[in-house]
């Protein structure tokens, strides 16, 4: 069952300007060390940050809160599998919110997809509740 859906569109040039203006203050407030390391290794550093910004916004919408009610930017982070597939992680208040909205007997799965086409970066997040498997023999 679908628990939440969120999407966001970010302007890469706007994120580039914010990085230029606020630098580490912005990076350290919004992005985890892992996200920063990934972005700084990429040729399109602002685009990488913009996609992760959009993912955090989309995740907060899928959680049904937006960026309010105590949720922090770093409570949501994006890493990548070896295949390149993005994976959303939640901690802190975002994790508490996810746990509260997940029905008993289910596990929450967060699906995220990212794309960009300069000057736009977009993210789409779907939170799914899957029934826990019953490993008991019949």
């Amino acid at each position: 069952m679908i628990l939440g859906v969120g999407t966001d569109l970010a302007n890469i040039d706007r994120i580039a300007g914010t990085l230029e203006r606020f630098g580490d203050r912005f990076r350290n407030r919004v992005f985890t060390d892992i996200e920063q390391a990934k972005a700084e290794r990429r040729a399109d550093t602002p685009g990488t940050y913009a996609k992760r910004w959009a993912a955090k916004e989309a995740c907060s919408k899928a959680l049904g809160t937006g960026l309010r009610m105590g949720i922090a930017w770093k409570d949501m982070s994006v890493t990548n599998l070896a295949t390149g597939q993005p994976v959303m992680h939640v901690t802190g208040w975002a994790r508490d919110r996810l746990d509260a909205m997940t029905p008993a007997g289910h596990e929450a799965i967060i699906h995220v997809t990212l794309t960009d086409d300069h000057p736009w970066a977009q993210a789409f997040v779907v939170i799914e509740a899957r029934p826990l498997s019953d490993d008991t023999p019949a």
Side-chain angles (χ1 to χ4, degrees):
M1 95 182 59
I2 303 299
L3 298 178
V5 175
T7 188
D8 192 66
L9 185 66
N11 185 289
I12 296 169
D13 293 333
R14 182 174 154 250
I15 297 296
T18 302
L19 287 164
E20 187 174 309
R21 184 172 177 198
F22 296 105
D24 285 343
R25 188 169 136 212
F26 172 64
R27 275 187 284 275
N28 293 332
R29 179 173 173 250
V30 176
F31 302 101
T32 65
D33 292 341
I34 293 170
E35 289 174 313
Q36 290 181 48
K38 172 88 172 180
E40 297 301 325
R41 286 192 309 266
R42 303 297 286 277
D44 183 14
T45 299
T48 302
Y49 279 121
K51 284 186 281 190
R52 276 144 181 77
W53 170 278
K56 291 167 187 268
E57 287 274 6
C59 184
S60 71
K61 292 170 185 174
L63 289 168
T65 64
L67 285 161
R68 58 183 180 92
M69 297 176 54
I71 200 166
W73 287 103
K74 287 184 173 182
D75 285 348
M76 301 164 290
S77 65
V78 177
T79 62
N80 295 85
L81 299 177
T83 60
Q85 177 183 347
V87 178
M88 177 64 71
H89 306 274
V90 292
T91 59
W93 192 90
R95 168 52 66 185
D96 294 344
R97 172 71 180 143
L98 181 63
D99 291 345
M101 64 191 285
T102 304
H106 289 74
E107 65 176 335
I109 309 295
I110 302 174
H111 303 277
V112 60
T113 186
L114 308 172
T115 191
D116 65 332
D117 187 8
H118 198 87
W120 301 107
Q122 184 176 32
F124 193 76
V125 171
V126 175
I127 302 175
E128 172 190 10
R130 287 188 191 159
L132 295 171
S133 62
D134 184 9
D135 294 336
T136 348

